[in-house]
Amino acid sequence: NAGVTQTPKFQVLKTGQSMTLQCAQDMNHEYMSWYRQDPGMGLRLIHYSVGAGITDQGEVPNGYNVSRSTTEDFPLRLLSAAPSQTSVYFCASTSGQGRLDYGYTFGSGTRLTVV
Amino acid sequence: GIQVEQSPPDLILQEGANSTLRCNFSDSVNNLQWFHQNPWGQLINLFYIPSGTKQNGRLSATTVATERYSLLYISSSQTTDSGVYFCAVALFYGGSQGNLIFGKGTKLSVKP
């Protein structure tokens, strides 16, 4: 049981380049989300999905796109990277309603630097 | 939107000491979780505790939902407890779990 797998772990981009951060979970979780972590800011929600084919914006969605074609995968796309997107990105998943005691599982993070 | 405030922002302890971390939130929530981010950046889910008290080894947590706060207790601290502790709350959308809203964290340093 791998949990939540994020790739790559590290990435350096030039301003204007595009890339996709991958996130996959093998727990059949309905809910998946992307966060970014900046110094002193905690974690802020970028986009989330409550199931395949359904996505919505979080607190800081500008500059990012997502899609959810399968339950397992939730990629995050940077269309035109900017230095302000330098951050650590976390993907998380959790099961839906019905469980009495549940928690979120986080991936190990992707450290992105935009130069 | 809902606000999550954690205190203290920084805490330095000698190994073996006890500590209490606090999380205040501004509205009613259906989900509250405590996380530990270790020095390597990994986020570990410590407790799911929307109300009541739970214990796991040297760690315990109490949430008083009616008064909108939660406490995380660390007893007999060890150097491996160092890192950042986050409190996060979630609101429900459409009957399923919603989005986690994080506080800014408490940075704990345990000295040998």
Side-chain angles (χ1 to χ4, degrees), chain A residues 31 35 37 95 97 101-102 104, chain B residues 37 48 95 97-100:
Chain A
Y31 180 92
Y35 291 83
Q37 184 177 23
S95 64
Q97 60 185 349
D101 189 359
Y102 51 78
Y104 282 68
Chain B
Q37 187 170 40
Y48 162 69
Q97 291 152 274
N99 307 316
L100 280 179

Side-chain angles (χ1 to χ4, degrees), chain B residues 70-91:
Chain B
S70 182
L71 302 174
L72 178 69
Y73 305 97
I74 304 174
S75 64
S76 303
S77 59
Q78 301 176 357
T79 56
T80 52
D81 295 330
S82 296
V84 182
Y85 289 81
F86 288 103
C87 168
V89 300
L91 307 175

